[in-house]
Structure formats: structure tokens, C-alpha cells
Amino acid sequence: MKPRERHVLLLWMLVCSGATEAVDPFTIGAGVAGTAAAGIFSPMIYCRFKECCRPNWVSFKSTGLKKDLDNKLFGQHVASRIILKAVDGFMSNDNPKKPLVLSLHGSTGTGKNFASQLIAENIYEKGIKSNFFHVLSATHHFPHPKQHLQTYKHQLKQLLRDSVTDCERSMFIFDEVDKMDPQLIDSIKSYLDYYDNLDGVSYRKAIFIFLSNAGGDSIAQTALDFWKAGQKREEIGHNDLGTSLSLSLFNNKDSGFFHSSLIDKSLVDFFVPLLPLEYKHVVQCAMAEMKARGRQPDQDVAERLAKDLVYFPKSERVFSSTGCKTVDTKLNFYL
């Protein structure tokens, strides 16, 4: 700790302990001294040791996100490119016109949650443990929408308001959107729109990310069509998936976005498709999991695990049915 910081910390400790009462009241009132010191130094001291919505705690690392997407999000060249450009452009803008809204779609285990976590890890010093990072699960937080829809709407709006009031760079992850009532999603439309503020609170610097399995079948079919045509996976572009994905979600009663005003009013900035994972990607996931556990990655172990998973189509065994979702639990069996 620098000398100046030590002096500031000592003064703050004296203020908090009431030691300012020893100050000559004819020179400066003890209460005034304490209040003035607290007003000047409390944010400085507090935010050095406790998370605050300040640059030392909230600061986007573009090169870090690119590196993580390239090296950790396996087999997702389309999603990685969209996410990096979208987040980089948004976070570098000090005066965005609206919040960033992403909707990530793909089958189980393709990396939707993981991609969201990588974004958080490169925005918040505390990563996914940040108080400004919020995950809302449809089945956990909104399990009975038919009976409690109005209550859920109120609670959700209150959470958004309180969170963004605490930090304008808050991030909200809505998991299992395909299991959410479309009316609940539509209830937050105004928070995602082009408003300077709502009741005195600006949401323009917040990030909203929706995660859903909906659309996964059509994404997988596109990937399979490319494979059957002998085209490389890397040749698949966003144009091959994006427009048809948003349209299918809008017309799918089970998507969570059925006739949603979020789509109708173009409030979702990017629909991000995540491709089904192949055998080689499962191997990469297993190797990464071993490394994360502090073990020496073993190619043989990774390949044995990957071979035992279920793939589709059944005869060709091209894509993993569960992606990398079960790799961490199954790995124990192979070590």
C-alpha cells in the first residue's frame, strides 16, 4: 500500500472509531471533521476493498474476451465473432442509445451459459461472482407463471431497477427463456428500448442476454446440411442462420418469444446461433476440464470419454447430443 493510501486509511479508521472527538472543538468541530472526512474518503476507502461500480471493478477487457472466445468456446466461430463485435462496440461506447440485448440459441451443451460467463469475466473484476452480474432462471425464479404472473412481473421490474441504480453497467442473464411466459418477457420491453431513462433510471448501459434451446433443431439441421454437402463447418455464416432463427422463434409457441414485441420492435440486437458440437470439440472440452482441475491433460482419456457419448444422426454420429454439458461429471469415471 502506498504511503498516501496508508494515511487515508488511518484517517478513515480514526473517523470510524470516533477518535475525531479529540480534535480541539474551538479549532474545528469534531462532528464536522468526521462528516467531512467521511464524505471525502469513504468512497475511496470503501471501493478499494469492496466492489463498487467504478473502473477498478468494472472495466471491459476486449483482448481478454477475444482470447477466451478463441481458446475456450470450442466450435463456435459464428457466435464468437458476433459476441466479440457486439460487446466490444457496446462497451466502448460511453453513450449508447439502448441496452445491449443478445439472444443466444443452440441445443444442450453448446456453450450458451459459458459464453455469457466469459463476457462477465472480462467486464467485472469479480467475474460471475460480481454483485452486478445477475442470472435469472425460468424454472427457478418463475416456476408458476400462470398463478403468479403479475407478481413475477413486479419482482422482475424491481430487480432491474434496483440493480441498474446500483450499477449502470449491470448484466442480466435470462436462462431457459423457452420455458418463460412470453408475457413476462414482454413486460420488460421498455427497459430494452430507446429511452433516456425510466422513472429517473437509465438502462442504456446495461446488458441483457437471453439463453434458450429454442431454435437448436434448425441450427443443427443447417450444420448437418453443410456437412452432407461436403462443406466445412467454418463456411457457415450468420446469414445462413440469423434471419430464419428470429422468424422461427417469433412463430414458435414454445420459444418464449412467441409473437414477442422484443422481436416485433427489433429490440434484440443479435440472435446468436451456437452450432452443435462434433467429436473433436468434445475432446477439447475434456482436455480443458482436466487442465482446469490442475491435472495434466490426457488425450487418450479425452478421446475415450468423447467416443462413449451419444451422437446424431445415429448412423453417421456427427454431432454430440449433449455437447460438452456432461463432460465434467463423466470425466471422473475415466480418470
Side-chain angles (χ1 to χ4, degrees):
M1 185 180 293
K2 297 178 181 179
R4 174 177 172 78
E5 293 175 337
R6 284 201 298 270
H7 295 156
V8 171
L9 180 58
L10 177 59
L11 177 56
W12 177 240
M13 292 172 64
L14 290 172
V15 170
C16 292
S17 65
T20 50
E21 295 176 2
V23 178
D24 183 354
F26 295 101
T27 306
I28 181 170
V32 176
T35 302
I40 295 173
F41 296 117
S42 60
M44 183 188 303
I45 297 299
Y46 182 85
C47 293
R48 177 171 176 79
F49 301 101
K50 190 75 173 177
E51 184 182 35
C52 290
C53 191
R54 293 194 168 197
N56 56 318
W57 291 100
V58 183
S59 181
F60 178 57
K61 298 177 283 292
S62 178
T63 54
L65 179 58
K66 183 181 187 308
K67 182 178 178 180
D68 283 346
L69 291 172
D70 289 343
N71 299 327
K72 297 179 180 180
L73 189 64
F74 304 121
Q76 302 298 352
H77 67 283
V78 177
S80 294
R81 190 181 307 123
I82 298 171
I83 290 171
L84 181 61
K85 287 186 176 181
V87 178
D88 192 14
F90 179 75
M91 292 300 295
S92 62
N93 186 353
D94 290 331
N95 188 32
K97 301 300 181 183
K98 67 179 291 295
L100 176 63
V101 184
L102 304 177
S103 192
L104 277 57
H105 297 267
S107 52
T108 300
T110 51
K112 299 181 294 294
N113 273 290
F114 187 56
S116 303
Q117 292 172 13
L118 292 180
I119 297 173
E121 294 291 344
N122 286 284
I123 293 179
Y124 306 112
E125 184 68 23
K126 295 182 68 175
I128 61 174
K129 295 182 180 179
S130 171
N131 291 323
F132 311 132
F133 177 75
H134 309 274
V135 178
L136 298 164
S137 168
T139 53
H140 178 71
H141 294 96
F142 316 112
H144 307 293
K146 291 184 179 179
Q147 298 94 321
H148 305 294
L149 182 59
Q150 295 307 315
T151 300
Y152 291 157
K153 286 182 179 180
H154 173 75
Q155 291 175 341
L156 179 55
K157 290 178 180 180
Q158 190 64 49
L159 170 67
L160 299 184
R161 179 181 175 82
D162 292 346
S163 302
V164 175
T165 299
D166 287 341
C167 185
E168 59 186 357
R169 288 292 189 184
S170 291
M171 182 186 300
F172 304 94
I173 309 298
F174 291 81
D175 197 8
E176 302 178 306
V177 173
D178 45 307
K179 296 180 176 65
M180 286 181 66
D181 190 304
Q183 294 183 61
L184 181 58
I185 298 176
D186 274 359
S187 71
I188 64 170
K189 180 184 81 70
S190 57
Y191 298 91
L192 313 182
D193 215 330
Y194 293 82
Y195 292 112
D196 287 340
N197 68 76
L198 294 170
D199 298 324
V201 179
S202 174
Y203 297 84
R204 293 182 301 168
K205 291 187 178 182
I207 296 178
F208 294 81
I209 302 180
F210 299 103
L211 311 179
S212 175
N213 288 347
D217 290 343
S218 63
I219 295 171
Q221 185 60 54
T222 299
L224 187 61
D225 290 343
F226 268 72
W227 180 82
K228 289 181 177 179
Q231 294 176 272
K232 294 181 179 180
R233 179 190 186 91
E234 290 70 26
E235 294 179 25
I236 301 175
H238 186 232
N239 292 336
D240 298 307
L241 300 161
T243 303
S244 60
L245 177 59
S246 62
L247 184 62
S248 67
L249 295 172
F250 185 77
N251 292 313
N252 184 351
K253 292 183 178 181
D254 299 319
S255 71
F257 287 106
F258 180 62
H259 289 182
S260 172
S261 60
L262 270 65
I263 295 179
D264 191 39
K265 301 298 182 182
S266 301
L267 297 181
V268 178
D269 298 300
F270 296 96
F271 287 93
V272 184
L274 283 94
L275 300 169
L277 299 184
E278 300 174 10
Y279 168 84
K280 62 182 179 182
H281 303 126
V282 178
V283 171
Q284 288 178 306
C285 288
M287 296 284 281
E289 179 62 24
M290 283 184 270
K291 184 177 181 180
R293 295 186 185 187
R295 302 180 65 102
Q296 180 66 32
D298 188 318
Q299 184 77 21
D300 180 62
V301 169
E303 290 182 356
R304 284 192 289 116
L305 184 155
K307 287 177 182 177
D308 287 346
L309 297 185
V310 177
Y311 292 82
F312 70 93
K314 191 173 182 179
S315 56
E316 292 92 347
R317 287 173 54 87
V318 181
F319 302 118
S320 169
S321 298
T322 56
C324 286
K325 186 166 186 174
T326 61
V327 166
D328 59 334
T329 55
K330 289 182 178 296
L331 186 60
N332 298 322
F333 178 78
Y334 294 87
L335 291 174

